[in-house]
Amino acid sequence: MGISLVSAHPRGAAKTLSKKQQARRVLVVLGLLAALPVLALLTCQLAVLTSASSKHTDSLAALPTNRVGLVLGTSKYVAKGRHNAYYSQRIAAAAKLYKAGKVEYLLVSGDNRTSHYNEPVTMKRDLITAGVPKERITCDFAGFRTLDSIQRAKAVFGQSKLTIISQRFHNERALFLAGASGIDAVAYDAGTGALPTGKTAVRELGARVQAVLDIWVLRRRPKFLGEHISIGKE
């Protein structure tokens, strides 16, 4: 009786991958891992841009009228005591909107962490110099971040409709935060409307990722809230 030979590799057993195939699989996995941050970044950018679409403009005629304009804070000076163009543009734009009757009141929101740095007081002083009556300006001293400024405008100052005043790139992010916070907002693009470059552009990319995480994942709230403050009501 003959003896049948059994194959060394049982039927259905996986074949050993060659070194070339193993290397190819490793590269595919590494490529997918490298693509994840890019995909996340693109998702955040799309979320911000989609929410802001058609809600911001640099045209005074095209801007709807709202009772309150929210001026987002920034430093008046940058490195070596140079004037911050973003700050000057926001002040000029806010005064322009008030004088044109596009807003009745201005809520200036910014950082007030120390006695030597007070964005809201500085903005109010410069708006008065620009011709806005002091009684038409309210300060929010706890606008440490854009998220704080937006959410406090509703939670503390009772505003469910707003005109946001900042640069275009900042307005887009602020509009995303406003929409997610249940605020019906439009925005006026101060300055030339040009997109940021260099370090500012990199910071804005990171800020947009953080904004999406704050809303979709972390569900963050302002650092401080507090009692209700009326705007324009004695």
Side-chain angles (χ1 to χ4, degrees), residues 5-222:
L5 298 177
V6 180
S7 172
H9 297 286
R11 183 177 297 178
K15 295 182 179 180
T16 303
L17 295 175
S18 68
K19 290 184 178 181
K20 183 179 292 187
Q21 289 173 317
Q22 290 176 346
R24 188 179 296 117
R25 286 196 174 185
V26 169
L27 288 175
V28 169
V29 172
L30 291 176
L32 290 173
L33 291 175
L36 286 177
V38 176
L39 180 61
L41 180 61
L42 291 175
T43 299
C44 293
Q45 293 300 307
L46 182 61
V48 169
L49 292 174
T50 300
S51 66
S53 177
S54 75
K55 293 183 180 179
H56 62 97
T57 181
D58 59 1
S59 167
L60 194 64
L63 186 72
T65 299
N66 272 328
R67 182 171 178 271
V68 176
L70 172 63
V71 190
L72 296 174
T74 188
S75 173
K76 183 174 181 177
Y77 300 99
V78 290
K80 298 181 180 179
R82 292 183 292 109
H83 280 271
N84 182 357
Y86 290 153
Y87 175 90
S88 301
Q89 290 169 356
R90 292 180 201 183
I91 295 298
K96 180 180 179 180
L97 263 56
Y98 173 79
K99 293 175 182 178
K102 290 294 183 176
V103 295
E104 297 178 44
Y105 297 91
L106 292 170
L107 174 61
V108 293
S109 180
D111 197 340
N112 175 38
R113 298 190 186 208
T114 72
S115 58
H116 303 290
Y117 186 79
N118 194 318
E119 290 177 355
V121 166
T122 302
M123 288 191 289
K124 181 174 182 177
R125 183 177 61 239
D126 289 342
L127 282 168
I128 293 172
T129 301
V132 181
K134 63 180 181 180
E135 63 271 14
R136 295 284 174 160
I137 307 169
T138 300
C139 291
D140 173 14
F141 296 105
F144 303 120
R145 301 171 56 205
T146 304
L147 180 143
D148 295 65
S149 296
I150 294 294
Q151 293 192 353
R152 279 175 56 83
K154 182 178 182 181
V156 176
F157 296 93
Q159 303 305 307
S160 57
K161 291 190 67 176
L162 283 172
T163 296
I164 301 168
I165 303 166
S166 189
Q167 278 68 38
R168 173 183 169 183
F169 65 90
H170 193 193
N171 280 338
E172 290 173 342
R173 174 160 47 95
L175 286 166
F176 166 77
L177 293 168
S181 303
I183 299 174
D184 181 10
V186 294
Y188 184 73
D189 299 333
T192 62
L195 295 176
T197 57
K199 293 181 179 179
T200 302
V202 174
R203 283 197 299 267
E204 181 58 27
L205 287 174
R208 292 186 177 196
V209 172
Q210 186 63 60
V212 172
L213 288 175
D214 285 343
I215 295 298
W216 289 0
V217 180
L218 303 175
R219 300 187 181 278
R220 282 187 173 161
R221 298 287 291 159

